[in-house]
Amino acid sequence: MPQTRQIENERLLLKVNDYGGELAGIYDKKNSRELIWCGDPAVWNRHAPILFPFVGELFNKEYRYENVIYPMTAHGFARDTEFTFDGIKENKIVHSMKSNAKTKKVYPFDFKLEVSHSIVENEVLVEWKLVNTGDKEMLFGIGAHPAFNVPARENEEQKDYYLSFGDKETLGYIHIDKEYPTAMYDTVHTLKLTDGKYKIGEHMFDGSTLIFENRQLSEVGIAFPDKTPYVTVQCEGFPYVGVWKKPGASFICLEPWYGRCDNYGFAGELENKMGVQKLEAKEEFNVSHKIVIH
């Protein structure tokens, strides 16, 4: 049976599920609060799923590779797979999954994905090691989807919080179409910031997910109504960052990605998919991001 593994230090208590290799909790002892969404199935039944082998939706929920059409659900299958628990090593929770007959029916590549979560002082380090164990080039996407509790304190409202983007002054972003949840790539919206921040307000997510492309961001965070920092995701080098919330939900997702959803109407070969990552046979892809708790 899948279990929940945990480690802690003086500041944080970290929980990770075997199911999905998913980060399930970051308890801030100093401020006596849980940062990660509870996964209430009546609202959204996840905490911080790993998005693999694709990020987001494929147009018509399928893709074409070597002239064969494969079905694929949003964000791929890793989030709904029981990972192997490889142990707690040097205060690091390690999980892994491998390709098998079931995965190869929808994703014809051989791989091993290792996921680790560790804590150092007030930071959570999330590391991914993807190995192409096959004999041909592997095409993939991978991303994080952590949902943070907002509001985080009593007598505050989500609309009064801020998104924070480091020292940026202006950002461009695109939306996802609501009927066919793929990227409306030809319309770029502008986000004008004040001191690197933008007030969430009541209508920020009316147009659905905000996608920031072209390595615009090396960090994205949430600040309290008084503009002091709450949580920051450091994601240097990630080509895409998504920011999303479900209407009416008391969480906001800050999502660093290697890859993104299809462009609206895309029906070409997988190698031409927007944001697709490529990994040569027997090679490794290693990347990490940090969650900083303030």
Side-chain angles (χ1 to χ4, degrees), residues 259-279:
R260 68 156 171 80
C261 62
D262 275 351
N263 284 338
Y264 180 86
F266 177 72
E269 282 281 329
L270 180 58
E271 64 179 353
N272 298 318
K273 169 182 169 58
M274 178 58 71
V276 72
Q277 305 296 308
K278 300 179 180 181
L279 186 61

Side-chain angles (χ1 to χ4, degrees), residues 250-269:
S250 57
F251 64 78
I252 292 176
C253 295
L254 307 177
E255 311 175 33
W257 303 331
Y258 272 85
R260 68 156 171 80
C261 62
D262 275 351
N263 284 338
Y264 180 86
F266 177 72
E269 282 281 329

